[in-house]
Amino acid sequence: MLLRGFPLVPYLCQIFGNAGDETKGRQMPSHMASRSVNQVSWSSCIGTQLPQAVGAAMAARIKGDRTVIAAYLGDGASSEGDFHVAMNFAGVFKAPVVFICQNNHWAISVPTAKQTASESIAVKAVAYGFPGVKVDGNDAVAVYRAVKEALDRARSGGGPTLVECETYRIGAHSSSDDPTRYRDEQEVEQWKKRDPLELLRSRLQAWGLWTARQEDELRAQVLEEVNGAIAEAEKKPDPARESLFDDVYANQPWSLREQREELLASPPAARAKQSP
Amino acid sequence: MPAWNIIQAVNDALRIEMRRDPRVVVMGEDVGKFGGVFRATLGLIEEFGADRVIDTPLAEAGIIGAAIGMAMYGLRPVPEIQFSDFIFPAFDQIVNELAKLRYRSGGQYSAPVVIRTPVGGGIKGGHYHSQSPEALFIHTPGLQVICPSNPVDAKGLLISAIRQDDPVIFMEPKRVYRAAKGEVPEGEYTVPIGEAKVVREGRGMTVIAWGAMLHEAQQAVEQAPELDAELIDLRTLWPLDVERLARSVRKTGRCAIVQEAPRTCGFAAEISALIQERCFTSLEAPIARITGWDTPFPYTLENEYLPLAPRILGALRGLKAYEA
Ligand SMILES: Cc1ncc(C[n+]2csc(CCOP(=O)(O)OP(=O)(O)O)c2C)c(N)n1
Ligand SMILES: [Mg+2]
């Protein structure tokens, strides 16, 4: 979203869930949505976005737009029924959609080898009648090339592609995860050596497109920008309590109007604490 | 013995049943090496191995569908759905298959599957780590639904559930997973399915609650002894211990039901109908429902959504003051 020009402050307000959040503090951090950059609303329910992406792609084709839909998923998501339904629909309707699978080797504690008996995730596309490609997900240039090719194909009526980007989850899945319980730290150390940012940096430097000085300047500038944005975002209050009842329907029915009055007649509740 | 929390009690019940009965298997996402995202299956794979503690691919329909097949073939699966919000990919398997198997086979097949799943909000989990979908399953003939509020009941009820022959949705209130502590007896014991428990006796009104909201209701009634409330913990939601409730309401004449889920078509509505059918002439006030709102479960405003003690207390005072 930030790449597409979405401003930093409302982005951070979503994470804080405050009144500066376009989605009104309704969702957990990083469940973003903004029409301004064509980012549809995130669900936590794994895989549900995939058939929807195919539908949006079908709609784009029906309406004669050149739009291509990018649909993102993890390796774990490729086990859900919705993934297979989406792949099948995409193939049958030659939908202009690109599935981008970030295979980071883990779905919380479950390694990809226990997620699928296929040799790769990309290979699954073959059975659904369209190309699947696997690229080094830590190589930004390789990812760019593969996705560009897939987008061009979709745009010219060639139908869907599944791009599997192989990478690795260096950190924990979430703040309540403890990867030492289920994986070998040796493996993590190996992957750390292939940090995608390091790879890109050394490449750009080798091509003479990037210097240490430019990097220092950019870092300082971004740090200042981020700190400033955090300070600004933190100033925003919580959404108003009665905003709970907005957006359930376009027109609020009597039941919600009644419940709104009931809420306002009771004392305000203590602020919910940030999850641990 | 030390006070245990609900997670420890669930873990102990699983271990006891797995030791006792080789047909009992545990399955789900991250239940093996990791021991479950809430650590409820911790240590089981080390003791019972990967054939009986099965880390599955990420697919709830697969987990429940496979559990049904295992149960038809003679095992006693106890699948875990990581959050009840993610039970919906398995809804078809549960509602159309699991619940109807005994009936549609004329009693030849049954599916003794106990689905464990954490429910409820209060952990800042937003829409998808907070819902309380009990009414959907209570509405489905063939399913039993259990929701303990404390570790002692959790252990005894889970053991009972695994030992009987029909499917159970075993809902674990995650808001009090660690906070609700109790002196859990060692070794095996059962708490019967279908029996509510009077937590506090009183003559002024009957307050009905379960799961995490039982603790909020308890806080409210203890803050206001003048209400002389009788507090009942349902423990089993379905089959409901309706006679226990009716006896209480005939004595008190007033009744409030606390439910975390949205109000409309929630379980409180059914309880309310059952009570008025049985206690019409004893009622001195309309039955009060204190519930979550008819909105998706929010993130930032979750404490405004939940029927917490202050809101419950206000409603109970209103119930006490009501005069026809
Ligand atoms: C339908 C559903 N089931 C379970 C979960 C719980 N859960 C959250 S993330 C996760 C693992 C996801 O793995 P993957 O798809 O590989 O994505 P990653 O986090 O590795 O990027 C699970 C099981 C969920 N969010 N939705
Ligand atoms: Mg992954």
Side-chain angles (χ1 to χ4, degrees):
Chain A
M1 279 174 82
L2 296 173
L3 260 180
R4 289 179 165 212
F6 190 73
L8 199 50
V9 173
Y11 187 89
L12 290 164
C13 288
Q14 194 286 329
I15 292 171
F16 293 133
N18 65 29
D21 167 22
E22 282 190 5
T23 62
K24 306 183 188 173
R26 300 241 169 87
Q27 287 237 69
M28 280 175 83
S30 296
H31 288 55
M32 307 283 181
S34 182
R35 273 223 178 254
S36 64
V37 291
N38 285 341
Q39 169 63 64
V40 301
S41 171
W42 281 47
S43 167
S44 307
C45 305
I46 289 182
T48 48
Q49 75 279 14
L50 302 172
Q52 299 167 9
V54 177
M58 290 165 70
R61 215 203 35 222
I62 291 165
K63 290 173 81 172
D65 293 345
R66 275 170 44 81
T67 308
V68 177
I69 308 294
Y72 294 86
L73 64 140
D75 43 287
S78 73
S79 294
E80 284 285 4
D82 275 351
F83 168 76
H84 295 276
V85 167
M87 297 282 283
N88 192 40
F89 268 55
V92 168
F93 296 107
K94 274 195 149 219
V97 58
V98 179
F99 299 103
I100 301 168
C101 177
Q102 188 187 63
N103 178 357
N104 63 5
H105 283 255
W106 294 94
I108 310 186
S109 73
V110 180
T112 309
K114 280 202 187 169
Q115 204 64 248
T116 178
S118 305
E119 65 185 47
S120 70
I121 301 210
V123 75
K124 292 172 194 273
V126 177
Y128 292 105
F130 58 87
V133 289
K134 183 167 177 170
V135 296
D136 178 356
N138 285 1
D139 179 345
V141 179
V143 172
Y144 180 87
R145 283 212 184 101
V147 174
K148 170 91 169 47
E149 194 179 307
L151 288 172
D152 290 344
R153 178 162 43 242
R155 208 165 266 137
S156 59
T161 307
L162 170 62
V163 181
E164 174 184 0
C165 305
E166 189 183 17
T167 180
Y168 194 84
R169 195 194 76 208
I170 299 284
H173 171 78
S174 72
S175 52
S176 58
D177 182 21
D178 173 12
T180 60
R181 298 191 55 80
Y182 53 78
R183 75 180 182 188
D184 183 1
E185 284 306 304
Q186 281 302 101
E187 189 180 285
V188 182
E189 289 310 312
Q190 287 309 107
W191 278 92
K192 272 188 185 162
K193 293 184 195 143
R194 304 198 40 234
D195 184 313
L197 287 178
E198 297 289 350
L199 263 163
L200 184 62
R201 176 187 299 117
S202 56
R203 264 236 185 112
L204 289 174
Q205 282 175 345
W207 291 339
L209 295 170
W210 194 240
T211 64
R213 215 184 112 207
Q214 277 173 303
E215 170 123 357
D216 290 343
E217 278 171 17
L218 182 70
R219 269 181 188 278
Q221 182 201 324
V222 168
L223 192 66
E224 197 186 312
E225 222 177 288
V226 169
N227 284 339
I230 290 175
E232 200 182 326
E234 275 176 337
K235 280 191 229 140
K236 301 270 198 289
D238 279 351
R241 44 200 307 242
E242 63 274 22
S243 73
L244 257 182
F245 301 96
D246 299 341
D247 306 313
V248 183
Y249 301 95
N251 299 310
Q252 207 169 65
W254 63 267
S255 54
L256 287 180
R257 286 199 299 274
E258 251 181 48
Q259 290 180 20
R260 183 176 181 275
E261 293 314 307
E262 204 179 317
L263 173 77
L264 290 175
S266 67
R271 189 178 202 283
K273 283 192 203 67
Q274 203 66 32
S275 43
Chain B
M1 80 160 320
W4 270 1
N5 63 33
I6 295 180
I7 297 168
Q8 292 165 312
V10 164
N11 186 265
D12 194 40
L14 291 171
R15 191 183 308 273
I16 286 171
E17 287 308 281
M18 291 183 81
R19 281 182 185 161
R20 188 189 62 85
D21 183 350
R23 297 173 302 168
V24 177
V25 298
V26 160
M27 60 201 292
E29 294 154 12
D30 307 291
V31 299
K33 259 188 167 175
F34 190 36
V37 295
F38 289 102
R39 317 293 197 268
T41 55
L42 201 66
L44 297 181
I45 195 164
E46 286 79 3
E47 180 169 349
F48 302 104
D51 263 357
R52 293 184 65 200
V53 183
I54 306 168
D55 265 327
T56 67
L58 207 177
E60 291 73 15
I63 295 168
I64 303 303
I68 295 171
M70 288 178 179
M72 286 195 287
Y73 204 83
L75 296 185
R76 299 249 154 186
V78 187
E80 173 182 297
I81 297 294
Q82 205 163 82
F83 286 84
S84 66
D85 312 74
F86 306 135
I87 207 164
F88 299 106
F91 204 56
D92 192 29
Q93 286 290 344
I94 296 171
V95 173
N96 279 330
E97 306 299 315
L98 182 62
K100 296 173 176 54
L101 193 62
R102 179 184 292 285
Y103 195 78
R104 79 183 191 202
S105 68
Q108 298 180 78
Y109 282 95
S110 69
V113 175
V114 178
I115 303 176
R116 292 183 38 251
T117 189
V119 299
I123 61 156
K124 277 222 121 178
H127 302 328
Y128 303 113
H129 302 80
S130 306
Q131 296 173 81
S132 297
E134 67 275 356
L136 300 170
F137 299 109
I138 297 168
H139 188 64
T140 303
L143 298 178
Q144 301 166 93
V145 182
I146 293 173
C147 185
S149 67
N150 63 70
V152 178
D153 287 341
K155 177 174 165 182
L157 280 164
L158 184 53
I159 291 177
S160 292
I162 294 172
R163 291 186 184 180
Q164 56 78 60
D165 293 330
D166 280 318
V168 172
I169 312 288
F170 193 87
M171 301 189 149
E172 299 169 4
K174 68 172 108 60
R175 185 172 194 261
V176 294
Y177 245 163
R178 292 188 178 84
K181 293 222 167 74
E183 302 281 316
V184 178
E186 267 176 70
E188 51 180 281
Y189 67 91
T190 57
V191 170
I193 294 173
E195 279 184 21
K197 189 169 78 182
V198 177
V199 177
R200 180 188 195 278
E201 290 195 30
R203 308 196 63 84
M205 60 174 58
T206 302
V207 179
I208 299 165
W210 61 90
M213 290 304 109
L214 188 272
H215 300 271
E216 294 298 317
Q218 191 158 16
Q219 215 179 307
V221 300
E222 276 165 11
Q223 270 169 35
E226 71 280 6
L227 297 176
D228 192 18
E230 177 146 302
L231 178 62
I232 301 182
D233 181 354
L234 290 184
R235 308 195 292 182
T236 298
L237 307 190
W238 202 262
L240 180 70
D241 191 356
V242 68
E243 261 320 303
R244 187 75 207 69
L245 304 184
R247 265 207 312 280
S248 175
V249 176
R250 279 186 211 115
K251 174 177 74 174
T252 63
R254 288 166 205 259
C255 177
I257 307 158
V258 184
Q259 160 196 298
E260 184 174 326
R263 182 170 301 170
T264 300
C265 279
F267 189 41
E270 185 62 41
I271 298 172
S272 167
L274 287 164
I275 288 174
Q276 70 81 23
E277 282 163 7
R278 281 163 178 75
C279 311
F280 186 66
T281 52
S282 313
L283 283 172
E284 291 160 31
I287 297 170
R289 285 181 289 165
I290 309 154
T291 68
W293 310 116
D294 287 349
T295 72
F297 197 101
Y299 173 67
T300 304
L301 295 173
E302 73 173 353
N303 282 350
E304 297 286 359
Y305 176 92
L306 290 166
L308 299 180
R311 180 145 71 88
I312 296 172
L313 188 55
L316 297 186
R317 293 217 160 101
L319 179 66
K320 181 82 178 173
Y322 183 90
E323 276 177 55

